Amino acid sequence: MAKTQYYVPVGPIHPALKEPIRVEARVEGEKIVEVDVKRGFAHRGIEYMGMKRNAIQTLYLSERICGICSISHPYAFVVTAEKALGIEAPPRAQYIRTIIGELERIHSHILWLGVVAHEMGFDSLLFWTWKGRERLLDILELLTGNRINYSVFMIGGVRRDIKESHVKAIKDMISYYRIFNEEMKEVFLSDPVYKARTRGVAQLSKKMALELNAVGPVARAAGVRMDIRQDIPYDAYADIDVRAVVPQDIVGEARGDAYDITMVRLYEIDQSLDIIEYCLDEMPEGKLMAIPNYVALLAKIRRTQGEAIGAHEAPRGEVIHYIKFDGKRDGPSVWKVIAPSYNNINTWAPLLLGAEVADIPIVVAYIDPCMCCNDRIAVVRDEDGRVIDPATLHRKAVEKTRKLREELGVRT
Amino acid sequence: MTPETLIYAFTFPVLGVFLGLVYKGIDRRFSARLTSRIGPPIRQPFWDVGKLLLKETVVPENAVAWIFNAIPIVSFAASMTLLLYIPFGVLKAPLEGYGDLIVILYLLTLQSLAMAIGGFASGSPFSSVGAQREMVLMMSYEMPLATVIVGFAMLYRSFSLTTIASTPVWGVAGPLAAMGVLLLLVALLAVTPAELAKLPFDIAEAETEICEGMLAEYSGRNLALFYLSDAVRGFAMAALEVVLFFPFTLTDIFNLGLTGTTYYAVEALWFLFKVLVIYLLAITLVRTSFARFRIEQASKIFWVYVNIIALVGLALVWLGV
């Protein structure tokens, strides 16, 4: 007897999703036999908006790309812009940037731990972790004046100093999170129900992670030793020996499942606390901005012709920015952002195939997806203003390449 | 049917709905306090029902409309009838002469079955997956539930709940049988969250997976009826556990010389207190401290572990009788 197949649409609006994306799953009983992931529901044209503004305005616009890791995009932006402009932030500013970046990593990881617990119906854990996270947000508010969009970075430095009076509060917070993180490790890694729901779920092999271009904790959980902070160090990371946290260093083997990714994130919190502590102890004295005058900075941007690619290791993986200054305007003439979720969403379809319906929320949550980081599509129109579909675009590209080859006399 | 039975038959459902909703409110509040939240006021479930009754009832286009609309009524009727079979403290159950533990077992099943049928009838994929899960879950927890009831029948040589309530089980059973009854209690407590579709066994409704499953398409009046039947069933299940395992009255414990209205009022409050304790321990505490299982994990838990506990309990009762 043929089994009845159901078509289960998850999204664009679904309790498991906090932002719009669509997972179309065909299920037989509980088993998923066919899956398709569709994206592009949250296009906001933020890059286009950035290209119409000056660089400082664009920097604060970049903070609005993502709601959770609102420092990741400005961090990548300032690193890239400084590279393109040929300026370097003062050492003290670099250390402050690193501290804020790491604070944000901790709060993002704790947030994720709560979300993944919620996805499996463990709401008590969600409330507990989010309650624990509050203290970090308080510290961020103390340092920057804001809890979400900090507006503290600047091209060539930072806008606020970490004073002596702040240091004690941060150190208190570090000792609080050392204990809290031990408790979290105990709860998440030893809880039999959590283990039963995550062991073997969303299992990504090292080979698959490399093939699918997974980044960040997702790749690290699969055993791929990659981390921008380790591979292309910038700011204070250059002075610190940051090593990518991989499960094989912790328990001897990497299985790449949702349990491993929990472990990686929990140990990354410890690593971040170490980095913050190091930065506080070794913080150099000095000024905060390379070019303190905004008018002078914008004038320099207007004079500069250049382009650069810069990256920052966000809590979810690597954020890559490309900026081009054309020497005519005080803003970027081209600004392109690549967010980590874009790579990591590719892992959904192969992982969901053959999985159970009950695993959909965990597979969806384990990469910590961020749709608003993601959806910045490009629409190409022809001479008559009609949108060109992907197939036509591909055909035209192939035709153009052939034409070029013929003109240049290149044989294939 | 005596006039007394008739009065009971009218007051019990009203009281049942009221108490069910109050207990639901306390449950939500207690759960919130356990997770460092303030929680909604205890009267929130009343407002919820009121609001649902005012809302429009939507029937999906590809649903089998008459089944879809009839099922909430069946479900509500089943839980109401269930209430009429449970002796309320020292009061007799209104329908005590017309059925026994077996009927209670059927009524409990009927409600789950009704929800599964409603899920299939709504024609939504989420509901269908939810209904399938409910059926699997039902098949898993029915066996330990039946074992508990058989254990009691073996002990009392009767299925009558009033007989069981009037003589506490711990006085009837010998030491060996008492151990067996203790195991049966553990098994019944494990079955309770599954029977009431609460965490960790709310697999059929799993909000983050299948958007409340069988209830996904229900709205307005229909959803209000499901909400009410859920509230009543929660109260009835806790009351059933009290009646089976903790039927001690205050008069028995302290030898109080109470008579008349005072006697009934004190015993009723004592009964409500016992039900509340069981409700909070077996439902609220469990649903606050567990993650949701996958369906095959839940089946395994019931078929293997809970079944073994129940069967060992039954064997001990059999040896001890």
Side-chain angles (χ1 to χ4, degrees):
Chain A
M1 196 182 100
K3 286 183 186 166
T4 319
Q5 288 193 345
Y6 289 98
Y7 164 73
V8 178
V10 179
I13 297 164
H14 187 275
L17 301 164
K18 308 295 169 269
E19 290 164 285
I21 192 164
R22 190 174 171 86
V23 179
E24 292 175 354
R26 195 168 284 283
V27 295
E28 258 180 27
E30 280 281 314
K31 202 171 165 209
I32 301 167
V33 289
E34 201 182 305
V35 66
D36 191 11
V37 180
K38 289 189 172 153
R39 44 186 162 191
F41 291 91
H43 179 235
R44 299 181 300 162
I46 210 160
E47 285 170 6
Y48 185 75
M49 281 153 71
M51 287 183 251
K52 299 281 173 198
R53 284 160 170 75
N54 74 38
I56 297 172
Q57 288 169 329
T58 310
L59 169 62
Y60 297 114
L61 193 65
S62 75
E63 227 163 68
R64 272 76 182 167
I65 291 178
C66 180
I68 306 292
C69 34
S70 57
I71 220 69
S72 311
H73 288 283
Y75 210 145
F77 188 93
V78 291
V79 168
T80 315
E82 282 167 14
K83 230 189 248 182
L85 296 170
I87 55 175
E88 196 183 351
R92 189 175 177 83
Q94 291 186 5
Y95 272 64
I96 292 172
R97 290 209 294 225
T98 304
I99 289 173
I100 291 170
E102 291 306 314
L103 283 173
E104 190 177 76
R105 186 183 316 281
I106 300 173
H107 105 68
S108 179
H109 281 355
I110 297 177
L111 181 132
W112 178 84
L113 289 162
V115 167
V116 82
H118 166 71
E119 300 290 9
M120 59 183 71
F122 211 156
D123 280 350
S124 310
L125 216 48
L126 163 79
F127 299 130
W128 179 64
T129 45
W130 282 33
K131 190 185 165 202
R133 171 173 162 261
E134 280 301 305
R135 185 137 180 198
L136 218 142
L137 293 180
D138 290 345
I139 286 292
L140 278 167
E141 192 176 356
L142 180 77
L143 296 182
T144 65
N146 295 307
R147 282 161 66 88
I148 302 295
N149 290 328
Y150 314 116
S151 306
V152 73
F153 283 17
M154 177 50 68
I155 298 166
V158 285
R159 292 171 60 227
R160 280 187 183 221
D161 196 4
I162 292 184
K163 298 194 182 74
E164 205 52 45
S165 55
H166 295 149
V167 174
K168 191 181 171 301
I170 301 174
K171 290 216 162 159
D172 284 350
M173 179 219 74
I174 290 173
S175 42
Y176 169 78
Y177 278 104
R178 290 231 188 264
I179 299 165
F180 185 67
N181 199 30
E182 286 308 312
E183 287 170 3
M184 283 206 295
K185 278 182 196 161
E186 182 66 30
V187 170
F188 278 95
L189 302 179
S190 313
D191 182 56
V193 183
Y194 188 83
K195 210 168 182 172
R197 286 303 306 269
T198 50
R199 252 300 174 225
V201 174
Q203 198 159 8
L204 194 70
S205 67
K206 191 172 178 177
K207 186 168 169 283
M208 264 171 87
L210 289 170
E211 278 174 2
L212 295 168
N213 263 334
V215 292
V218 176
R220 288 198 283 278
V224 184
R225 205 180 284 280
M226 62 186 255
D227 193 320
I228 296 282
R229 295 173 297 167
Q230 168 198 289
D231 303 333
I232 320 164
Y234 50 98
D235 283 3
Y237 297 117
D239 302 342
I240 309 166
D241 183 26
V242 182
R243 277 175 63 77
V245 179
V246 280
Q248 56 261 42
D249 291 350
I250 306 164
V251 288
E253 57 163 347
R255 297 203 213 171
D257 53 11
Y259 183 80
D260 269 3
I261 203 165
T262 313
M263 191 159 64
V264 165
R265 286 187 203 255
L266 282 166
Y267 279 83
E268 276 189 9
I269 293 175
D270 274 346
Q271 188 190 35
S272 294
L273 290 172
D274 289 341
I275 294 173
I276 296 168
E277 209 159 33
Y278 175 89
C279 288
L280 283 178
D281 292 339
E282 306 292 325
M283 186 126 72
E285 290 299 321
K287 54 182 190 169
L288 295 177
M289 302 261 270
I291 306 170
N293 188 329
Y294 292 178
V295 179
L297 179 66
L298 289 176
K300 181 174 173 57
I301 293 169
R302 194 183 281 271
R303 288 196 305 274
T304 308
Q305 260 192 338
E307 57 181 350
I309 292 180
H312 165 63
E313 183 72 24
R316 296 181 167 91
E318 54 197 51
V319 170
I320 300 170
H321 278 224
Y322 166 75
I323 297 173
K324 185 177 181 183
F325 295 116
D326 58 4
K328 292 176 194 149
R329 290 180 52 246
D330 51 8
S333 62
V334 181
W335 177 36
K336 177 73 195 152
V337 180
I338 299 173
S341 296
Y342 195 79
N343 296 24
N344 287 338
I345 284 173
N346 293 338
T347 61
W348 279 1
L351 290 179
L352 283 172
L353 206 61
E356 289 190 22
V357 176
D359 293 334
I360 294 179
I362 299 173
V363 171
V364 165
Y366 97 115
I367 68 157
D368 200 0
C370 177
M371 299 316 147
C372 51
C373 272
N374 249 337
D375 289 339
R376 288 177 309 282
I377 55 164
V379 176
V380 185
R381 293 180 191 276
D382 63 10
E383 296 85 348
D384 303 324
R386 283 180 304 224
V387 177
I388 303 178
D389 63 343
T392 318
L393 201 64
H394 181 249
R395 185 173 47 77
K396 286 192 176 228
V398 171
E399 278 169 9
K400 192 183 169 194
T401 313
R402 283 202 190 123
K403 202 173 135 203
L404 268 173
R405 278 188 184 141
E406 276 168 17
E407 280 173 11
L408 296 170
V410 181
R411 280 189 195 163
T412 48
Chain B
M1 194 178 278
T2 59
E4 198 186 11
T5 320
L6 216 58
I7 294 167
Y8 277 172
F10 280 108
T11 27
F12 260 58
V14 176
L15 202 64
V17 167
F18 175 77
L19 288 172
L21 290 176
V22 168
Y23 276 48
K24 215 179 168 69
I26 296 173
D27 160 74
R28 286 174 68 175
R29 185 83 167 182
F30 184 60
S31 168
R33 286 301 157 100
L34 286 176
T35 51
S36 320
R37 288 180 294 129
I38 295 169
I42 288 171
R43 59 185 179 279
Q44 184 69 42
F46 291 92
W47 290 352
D48 289 351
V49 172
K51 189 172 178 184
L52 283 175
L53 287 172
L54 290 174
K55 290 246 174 188
E56 187 191 0
T57 306
V58 181
V59 180
E61 211 173 85
N62 52 350
V64 187
W66 70 272
I67 302 183
F68 184 80
N69 287 323
I71 284 302
I73 300 168
V74 173
S75 172
F76 185 58
S79 56
M80 276 307 185
T81 321
L82 178 64
L83 206 65
L84 296 178
Y85 279 99
I86 295 169
F88 189 89
V90 286
L91 296 178
K92 283 179 185 171
L95 291 181
E96 63 156 335
Y98 301 92
D100 44 27
L101 273 177
I102 299 287
V103 178
I104 289 176
L105 185 67
Y106 273 112
L107 286 171
L108 282 171
T109 315
L110 182 62
Q111 198 184 1
S112 306
L113 200 65
M115 285 178 80
I117 294 169
F120 281 125
S122 65
S124 147
F126 294 117
S127 304
S128 303
V129 173
Q132 285 173 3
R133 288 179 174 193
E134 180 71 28
M135 302 293 265
V136 173
L137 200 63
M138 242 164 67
M139 280 184 249
S140 317
Y141 69 69
E142 284 304 319
M143 169 87 174
L145 193 63
T147 313
V148 172
I149 286 173
V150 169
F152 269 86
M154 209 175 253
L155 209 57
Y156 284 92
R157 306 269 167 213
S158 157
F159 278 117
S160 163
L161 206 55
T162 316
T163 317
I164 293 170
S166 56
T167 17
V169 65
W170 310 102
V172 176
L176 203 61
M179 275 169 64
V181 173
L182 207 63
L183 288 179
L184 291 181
L185 172 64
V186 173
L188 190 61
L189 287 179
V191 168
T192 309
E195 184 65 61
L196 302 174
K198 295 275 190 284
L199 273 166
F201 302 113
D202 70 334
I203 306 159
E205 289 173 14
E207 148 233 348
T208 50
E209 293 162 19
I210 47 170
C211 321
E212 301 287 338
M214 299 166 295
L215 301 178
E217 300 294 339
Y218 278 101
S219 55
R221 183 181 53 85
N222 286 342
L223 189 59
L225 283 177
F226 271 129
Y227 192 94
L228 282 176
S229 64
D230 178 54
V232 171
R233 193 159 66 144
F235 176 76
M237 194 73 191
L240 184 68
E241 273 155 33
V242 168
V243 170
L244 288 180
F245 293 96
F246 311 101
F248 312 103
T249 53
L250 271 182
T251 323
D252 287 345
I253 302 170
F254 298 110
N255 275 329
L256 300 174
L258 298 172
T259 48
T261 324
T262 332
Y263 170 67
Y264 284 110
V266 168
E267 290 301 344
L269 285 176
W270 171 241
F271 177 75
L272 287 180
F273 173 74
K274 283 188 292 184
V275 174
L276 182 66
V277 171
I278 291 286
Y279 197 103
L280 294 183
L281 288 180
I283 301 165
T284 318
L285 205 60
V286 172
R287 85 175 171 89
T288 313
S289 38
F290 277 98
R292 185 182 304 114
F293 285 108
R294 271 203 300 267
I295 185 72
E296 90 274 4
Q297 288 167 341
S299 285
K300 194 180 164 195
I301 287 169
F302 283 118
W303 272 116
V304 182
Y305 306 111
V306 182
N307 240 339
I308 287 176
I309 292 172
L311 288 173
V312 169
L314 185 68
L316 287 176
V317 168
W318 181 59
L319 289 172
V321 166

